[in-house]
Amino acid sequence: MEPIALSAATALVGAMTSEAWQHVRDAVARWWRRARPQQADSVVAALEESRDHALTAGPDEDTDDLVATWRARLEALLWENPALEDELRELVDRDIAPHVRQEADSRTGNQEFRADARGHARIYQTGGNLNINES
């Protein structure tokens, strides 16, 4: 089993109930069209069907079946064409995970900070209160 297939399927299903869905669906459709053009339309339809299922699932309902379905589809595609693994990884890293993570962060208040200090610089970052006492 391909670990990237599980990661991709999990991220894909996570995006199904997010505001990022349109972007994610379009990115997956473009990728699938390049990989297997003859199946692209049916995959887009399956994505929408899966999304409908995810949206109607109750809060306690598990989405493991959706993840398993998409994992199997992705593994079959990678089994037939192993060269697609890097493209799938890039698709997840560039087009799926950041959008899902960004939406989750906006809901939970998580923030990501980046800084680059040079020389004698000091950097202070906070997502809340910050008290600095220097003598």
Side-chain angles (χ1 to χ4, degrees), residues 122-135:
R122 292 183 187 168
I123 297 173
Y124 303 97
Q125 298 178 322
T126 181
N129 295 333
L130 176 66
N131 295 316
I132 301 171
N133 297 317
E134 295 184 20
S135 301

Side-chain angles (χ1 to χ4, degrees), residues 39-52 70 73:
Q39 289 185 348
D41 291 338
S42 65
V43 166
V44 171
L47 284 168
E48 287 303 326
E49 185 178 316
S50 294
R51 180 173 193 245
D52 289 344
W70 285 101
R73 281 180 180 258

Side-chain angles (χ1 to χ4, degrees), residues 106-129:
S106 70
R107 280 184 288 196
T108 61
N110 292 338
Q111 299 173 356
E112 181 178 330
F113 297 95
R114 294 174 191 239
D116 185 17
R118 298 184 196 286
H120 297 288
R122 292 183 187 168
I123 297 173
Y124 303 97
Q125 298 178 322
T126 181
N129 295 333

Side-chain angles (χ1 to χ4, degrees), residues 2-134:
E2 301 292 335
I4 185 60
L6 176 58
S7 296
T10 302
L12 180 60
V13 172
M16 288 179 179
T17 58
S18 75
E19 291 181 21
W21 173 244
Q22 190 80 27
H23 173 81
V24 170
R25 186 203 64 199
D26 292 348
V28 171
R30 281 191 304 273
W31 179 74
W32 211 286
R33 233 175 230 103
R34 283 192 314 273
R36 232 189 225 165
Q38 69 280 13
Q39 289 185 348
D41 291 338
S42 65
V43 166
V44 171
L47 284 168
E48 287 303 326
E49 185 178 316
S50 294
R51 180 173 193 245
D52 289 344
H53 178 74
L55 288 172
T56 58
D60 296 330
E61 193 171 335
D62 204 345
T63 55
D64 287 349
D65 58 333
L66 288 176
V67 172
T69 297
W70 285 101
R71 179 183 185 177
R73 281 180 180 258
L74 293 166
E75 284 178 342
L77 185 59
L78 293 177
W79 186 78
E80 289 179 15
N81 191 347
L84 292 173
E85 184 175 345
D86 289 339
E87 284 185 37
L88 180 58
R89 186 170 281 108
E90 184 179 330
L91 175 73
V92 171
D93 292 345
R94 184 192 64 227
D95 293 309
I96 301 175
H99 294 282
V100 174
R101 190 171 31 250
Q102 180 181 15
E103 184 164 320
D105 288 349
S106 70
R107 280 184 288 196
T108 61
N110 292 338
Q111 299 173 356
E112 181 178 330
F113 297 95
R114 294 174 191 239
D116 185 17
R118 298 184 196 286
H120 297 288
R122 292 183 187 168
I123 297 173
Y124 303 97
Q125 298 178 322
T126 181
N129 295 333
L130 176 66
N131 295 316
I132 301 171
N133 297 317
E134 295 184 20

